[in-house]
Amino acid sequence: MGRLVIVSNRVPDPRERDQPAGGLAVALADALRDEESSLWFGWSGQQVDFEGDPEVAVDSHHKVTYATIPLTPAQHRGYYQRFSNGILWPLCHYRLGLMNYTKSDWESYQDVNTMFARALLPLLEPGDTIWIQDYHLFPLAQMLRDLGVTAPIGFFLHIPFPPWSLFRALPPADALLRDMVAYDLIGVQTDEDAENLKECLRIEGLDEGVSRVMACPIGIDPVKFGEEARAAWDGEEVARLRDSMHAEPLIIGVDRLDYSKGLEERFLGYERLLTRYPEHRGHVTYLQVAPVSRGEVEEYRLLRRQLDETIGRINGAFAEFDWTPIRYLTRPVPRTVLAGFYRLADVALVTPLRDGMNLVAKEYIAAQDPENPGALVLSHLAGAAPELTEALLVNPHDADAIADALHQALTMDKAARKRRWKLLDAEVRSTTAGTWSRDFLTALHDAGKAKTA
């Protein structure tokens, strides 16, 4: 049996390899546990100046070999900040107005993908299966094929894929789609994403790629996360938060600080709750954890300023000397601590404007006490919504709908909460990180066999 070779933009820092933090790193770590041996290749996170191709750093941890390369500051700016996160991210989240395309950034994106291919090539072995992750590396399979790689290559897109009417706004849309046909299998989060990508391929006349697209929703390890939540329940951080609530209800939101997460709209929905349902004033508290990301990007600095102003206005209007409506953290909270916070919270508020999946919703369900579970308010535009139909689904642009759902969640009796949670929990346990990776890799293996038959 050959190795599994994972390629992603970032490789987990050595300090994070036992306790990965991001959703992608957590899911892939779960996938790698099932492998006898594997290689994880990508950017180290370092920026250094170099000429030619960079030196590959290799180290091992448990059964996984990690191979990393640096980027130059210019590559980081063009490939990562400007094209991947300044063009592809807003495009795939349906925010065309935030795109700022330049041909030089597109060329940098291609150059870095080519550099990834050249650096990875000497590390490959006969029998390897290659699994490439996310939008930073759309063209990488074609770059590898150009170097003579014949191994099965799969791709998984963790963010949404937009319809042709939006994707065509990208000047090199046709080139990216042609490159994607080099994959033996392309996985996306939802049936909607799959249909959007198939539509784009058909319109470009790339019919051979249509059958290679499959919806394969990602999950978590609910058993392990539930154990972490129970362990955290007796921890110092959860005890401090519980004591500070004085037996009053808690709403929690956990999101990276990003315009796709609908944080401004969410705060306005909570404000509408306090306005339309004044019985919750002085009682319910909303804790939003929103670690700052991409702080060097102007759009993100403006977003943070806007959120600071909105929270200050809401707290100023409604706070009492012994109650603050919104508690707001912009620094990361360890995942093991968050598990306990989820278990404590009466309501999770997860309302992205557009999301690939949103694993916070699934983590919240997995963390609950079966005898006294909380309620989930979820955007119907989140990738998790088609699976989690027993959540209170809302339009994230509708502040009144968010307020109504929050009121319903806060006043729902225990029997109704338990009924909804049991159905949600069964769904979370049926689609896990393990089933996601096994289903995708089985399909990729089958696709590779069909190609060589």
Side-chain angles (χ1 to χ4, degrees), residues 36-321:
E36 286 300 317
S37 65
S38 53
L39 171 68
W40 194 337
F41 174 86
W43 175 40
S44 64
Q46 296 178 327
Q47 297 179 52
V48 297
D49 286 310
F50 57 84
E51 295 183 1
D53 286 338
E55 182 177 345
V56 179
V58 179
D59 69 298
S60 296
H61 187 73
H62 299 317
K63 298 182 295 183
V64 183
T65 298
Y66 294 90
T68 59
I69 58 174
L71 296 176
T72 68
Q75 289 171 334
H76 179 262
R77 187 167 52 253
Y79 148 79
Y80 180 72
Q81 288 184 333
R82 291 182 177 171
F83 197 83
S84 294
N85 292 326
I87 300 292
L88 293 178
W89 179 269
L91 171 65
C92 290
H93 288 87
Y94 295 53
R95 300 293 296 271
L96 297 188
L98 296 177
M99 290 172 55
N100 185 20
Y101 174 83
T102 66
K103 187 178 179 181
S104 61
D105 294 335
W106 162 238
E107 290 171 346
S108 179
Y109 179 79
Q110 291 176 298
D111 289 345
V112 170
N113 271 268
T114 301
M115 183 181 74
F116 266 51
R118 287 197 304 265
L120 177 60
L121 182 64
L123 305 176
L124 297 177
E125 299 175 359
D128 283 347
T129 296
I130 304 170
W131 193 7
I132 296 169
Q133 308 291 323
D134 232 359
Y135 60 102
H136 315 83
L137 304 173
F138 274 132
L140 184 55
Q142 186 58 60
M143 312 295 190
L144 290 168
R145 299 296 189 210
D146 291 342
L147 295 174
V149 174
T150 58
I153 307 179
F155 177 82
F156 193 85
L157 181 65
H158 293 261
I159 64 175
F161 195 91
W164 174 248
S165 58
L166 295 180
F167 196 70
R168 67 189 296 192
L170 179 68
D174 55 344
L176 271 188
L177 291 168
R178 283 196 304 271
D179 286 341
M180 291 182 72
V181 177
Y183 289 103
D184 297 294
L185 184 67
I186 303 170
V188 293
Q189 298 279 20
T190 67
D191 289 335
E192 180 182 359
D193 296 328
E195 289 306 312
N196 288 343
L197 178 52
K198 289 177 181 179
E199 175 196 31
C200 291
L201 293 169
R202 288 191 189 102
I203 289 174
E204 283 295 312
L206 301 169
D207 294 332
E208 69 271 27
V210 172
S211 63
R212 302 175 191 172
V213 178
M214 69 176 287
C216 188
I218 198 170
I220 63 171
D221 182 341
V223 174
K224 181 181 178 184
F225 198 78
E227 292 171 351
E228 291 176 350
R230 289 189 294 274
W233 182 257
D234 296 320
E236 177 188 356
E237 295 90 346
V238 174
R240 286 172 53 198
L241 178 58
R242 184 168 51 239
D243 291 345
S244 75
M245 294 305 302
H246 305 292
E248 297 284 12
L250 172 66
I251 300 169
I252 192 168
V254 178
D255 307 83
R256 193 167 51 79
L257 203 155
D258 189 276
Y259 50 76
S260 69
K261 302 301 182 181
L263 292 171
E264 172 74 8
E265 291 79 2
R266 193 179 308 177
F267 292 141
L268 297 179
Y270 178 68
E271 179 183 30
R272 199 67 55 89
L273 170 78
L274 300 178
T275 301
R276 291 183 49 212
Y277 300 97
E279 62 267 33
H280 296 299
R281 296 183 196 174
H283 298 286
V284 65
T285 297
Y286 171 22
L287 170 63
Q288 177 63 54
V289 180
V292 174
S293 69
R294 302 170 189 166
E296 71 281 357
V297 179
E298 178 64 18
E299 289 83 1
Y300 288 80
R301 289 198 296 267
L302 293 174
L303 173 63
R304 184 176 183 182
R305 188 180 312 143
Q306 178 186 15
L307 296 177
D308 289 346
E309 292 173 356
T310 299
I311 293 165
R313 179 180 59 77
I314 294 172
N315 282 342
F318 291 97
E320 300 289 348
F321 62 85

Side-chain angles (χ1 to χ4, degrees), residues 348-365:
L349 186 53
V350 185
T351 53
L353 305 182
R354 183 68 62 169
D355 234 349
M357 176 51 62
N358 198 297
L359 296 180
V360 168
K362 296 186 175 186
E363 290 175 344
Y364 179 75
I365 296 302

